[in-house]
C-alpha cells in the first residue's frame, strides 16, 4: 500500500457523504437540459421538485433521499488486504455521522444489522494494478432502482437487436418504480456475475464522457432516443425524459453466450470517487471508462 495522506476510513466516509448529499454535476446539467425541452406540465413539475430537493440537500448537507441505499465499492490501484477493513470502518462512521439509514438485513429472517454491514456487506470489487495510487469509487443504489436490475442470457443469434429489445423492455417494465429520469447502465458480455457488475460500473461513467468505441457510442445514443421517445417520463407520469443518459461496458464472453444486464440509476444516480496518492486525495463524482 502506498503512503496515505489521509486515513482511508475517513476518505470512505467523505465519499459516502458526498454521494448522498451532492448530485454529480453532469447529472444536474442533464436534469436542467431536460427541464428545458420538456413540454409536459406534469413532467416539468416533477423535474422542478427534484431540482429543488437537490439544492436543499446540498445546502443542508443532508441525504437527497430517505433511502440512502447500499453502497457498492470499486477499488483500483495499489493496495493490500487491509483496505476492506478500512472501507468497513468508513461505512460505520458514515452511517453514524451523515447519517445513513441502516438498510442491510438478513435475507430470510429480515434481522437488521443496524450498521449497514452484515454477511457479504458491503460489496467491493477489486482491480489491483501497479499504478502509484489507490482509487476508491462508490455507487449507491436504493431498493427502488436496485430491485429493477435485470439480467438476460440471450442467444448469440439474438444479436444487437435482441440486446436493444431487452434494454428497452427492462426500462419500460420498471416504469416509475426506479424514480426516473435516471441513467441506464448496461453490461454486455462476460459471465452472468461479471455482466451485472459491469452494468453497475457503467453507472459510474459521467454523462459528459464520450464512448471511444464508435459502435457502442451509436448504441448508447440510439437507446437514449428510444427510451425518451417512450413517453414514460419523470416518475413514470409521462413526458419526454425517461433517461438522462445510457452508458455501456462490454467484455468478451463464451462463444455460445450473449449476457446482457441492465442497472437503472434513479434521478439521484449517486456516485463519488477518490484517488489517493502519497501526497493528496483528489475527490470527484465519476470514474473513467
Amino acid at each position: 500500500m502506498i503512503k496515505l495522506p489521509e486515513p482511508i476510513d475517513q476518505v470512505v466516509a467523505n465519499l459516502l457523504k458526498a454521494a448522498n448529499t451532492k448530485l454529480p454535476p453532469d447529472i444536474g446539467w442533464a436534469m436542467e437540459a431536460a427541464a428545458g425541452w420538456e413540454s409536459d406540465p406534469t413532467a416539468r413539475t416533477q423535474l422542478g421538485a427534484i431540482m429543488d430537493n437537490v439544492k436543499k440537500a446540498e445546502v443542508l448537507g443532508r441525504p437527497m433521499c430517505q433511502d440512502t441505499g447500499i453502497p457498492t465499492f470499486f477499488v483500483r490501484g495499489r493496495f493490500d488486504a487491509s483496505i476492506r477493513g478500512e472501507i468497513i470502518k468508513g461505512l460505520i462512521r458514515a452511517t453514524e455521522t451523515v447519517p445513513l439509514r441502516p438498510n442491510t438485513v438478513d435475507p430470510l429472517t429480515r434481522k437488521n444489522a443496524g450498521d449497514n454491514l452484515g454477511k457479504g456487506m458491503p460489496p467491493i470489487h477489486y482491480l489491483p494494478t501497479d499504478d502509484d495510487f489507490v482509487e476508491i469509487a462508490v455507487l449507491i443504489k436504493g431498493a427502488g432502482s436496485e430491485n429493477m436490475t435485470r439480467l438476460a442470457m440471450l442467444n448469440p443469434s439474438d444479436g444487437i437487436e435482441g440486446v436493444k429489445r431487452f434494454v428497452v423492455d427492462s426500462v419500460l417494465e420498471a416504469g416509475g418504480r426506479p424514480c426516473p429520469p435516471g441513467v441506464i447502465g448496461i453490461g454486455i458480455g462476460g459471465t452472468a456475475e461479471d455482466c451485472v457488475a459491469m452494468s453497475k460500473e457503467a453507472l459510474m461513467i459521467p454523462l459528459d464522457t464520450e464512448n471511444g468505441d464508435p459502435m457502442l457510442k451509436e448504441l448508447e445514443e440510439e437507446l437514449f432516443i428510444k427510451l425518451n421517445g417512450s413517453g414514460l417520463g419523470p416518475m413514470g407520469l409521462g413526458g419526454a425524459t425517461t433517461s438522462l443518459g445510457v452508458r455501456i461496458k462490454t467484455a468478451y464472453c463464451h462463444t455460445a453466450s450473449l449476457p446482457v444486464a441492465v442497472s437503472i440509476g434513479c434521478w439521484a444516480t449517486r456516485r463519488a470517487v477518490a484517488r489517493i496518492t502519497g501526497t493528496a486525495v483528489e475527490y470527484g463524482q465519476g470514474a473513467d471508462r
Side-chain angles (χ1 to χ4, degrees):
M1 181 90 78
I2 62 173
K3 184 179 179 181
L4 304 175
E6 188 175 352
I8 286 184
D9 67 313
Q10 184 59 59
V11 172
V12 171
N14 293 344
L15 287 176
L16 290 167
K17 182 176 177 64
N20 270 293
T21 62
K22 297 180 181 179
L23 194 69
D26 58 292
I27 304 291
W29 298 331
M31 199 82 71
E32 290 179 7
W37 72 54
E38 274 288 2
S39 58
D40 185 285
T42 301
R44 290 179 65 87
T45 298
Q46 293 300 314
L47 292 173
I50 289 170
M51 294 307 296
D52 184 54
N53 179 74
V54 167
K55 291 173 185 175
K56 288 178 179 177
E58 184 165 358
V59 169
L60 297 174
R62 309 300 286 179
M64 291 176 278
C65 179
Q66 78 278 6
D67 184 354
T68 52
I70 286 179
T72 297
F73 293 91
F74 301 90
V75 182
R76 181 165 67 99
R78 188 177 297 178
F79 52 86
D80 59 39
S82 67
I83 198 164
R84 178 172 179 82
E86 294 300 312
I87 289 174
I88 287 172
K89 285 197 296 182
L91 177 54
I92 293 172
R93 182 196 292 252
T95 299
E96 296 173 349
T97 61
V98 174
L100 306 180
R101 189 176 75 183
N103 278 332
T104 54
V105 299
D106 181 279
L108 300 180
T109 67
R110 311 310 290 180
K111 180 180 178 181
N112 195 306
D115 54 8
N116 280 310
L117 296 176
K119 186 176 181 181
M121 290 290 151
I124 306 174
H125 300 273
Y126 301 97
L127 180 61
T129 72
D130 291 328
D131 294 300
D132 291 325
F133 61 75
V134 179
E135 185 176 274
I136 303 174
V138 63
L139 174 71
I140 296 170
K141 294 182 96 255
S145 61
E146 180 68 1
N147 289 353
M148 297 299 105
T149 303
R150 296 292 181 265
L151 169 69
M153 303 301 288
L154 300 181
N155 293 316
S157 58
D158 292 322
I160 195 166
E161 292 303 318
V163 170
K164 294 176 190 176
R165 283 193 301 273
F166 175 69
V167 172
V168 172
D169 288 348
S170 295
V171 175
L172 296 188
E173 286 171 8
R177 286 171 289 182
C179 297
V183 182
I184 311 304
I186 302 168
I188 305 174
T191 58
E193 66 273 22
D194 291 333
C195 193
V196 174
M198 281 194 298
S199 70
K200 287 193 172 183
E201 196 172 2
L203 293 174
M204 294 296 304
I205 303 169
L207 298 179
D208 52 358
T209 301
E210 191 173 275
N211 199 319
D213 184 317
M215 184 174 69
L216 294 181
K217 178 176 180 290
E218 182 179 348
L219 182 56
E220 287 176 346
E221 292 172 350
E222 182 178 347
L223 287 168
F224 178 74
I225 292 170
K226 282 180 179 292
L227 291 171
N228 285 327
S230 69
L232 180 64
M235 298 298 171
L237 299 175
T241 315
T242 298
S243 170
L244 298 173
V246 176
R247 290 293 175 262
I248 299 173
K249 291 185 74 72
T250 64
Y252 272 40
C253 61
H254 191 283
T255 184
S257 295
L258 177 53
V260 185
V262 175
S263 287
I264 302 175
C266 66
W267 62 260
T269 300
R270 294 168 287 182
R271 46 175 160 80
V273 61
R275 179 170 290 190
I276 309 166
T277 66
T279 58
V281 181
E282 297 178 5
Y283 290 96
Q285 288 190 284
D288 296 336
R289 281 187 181 272

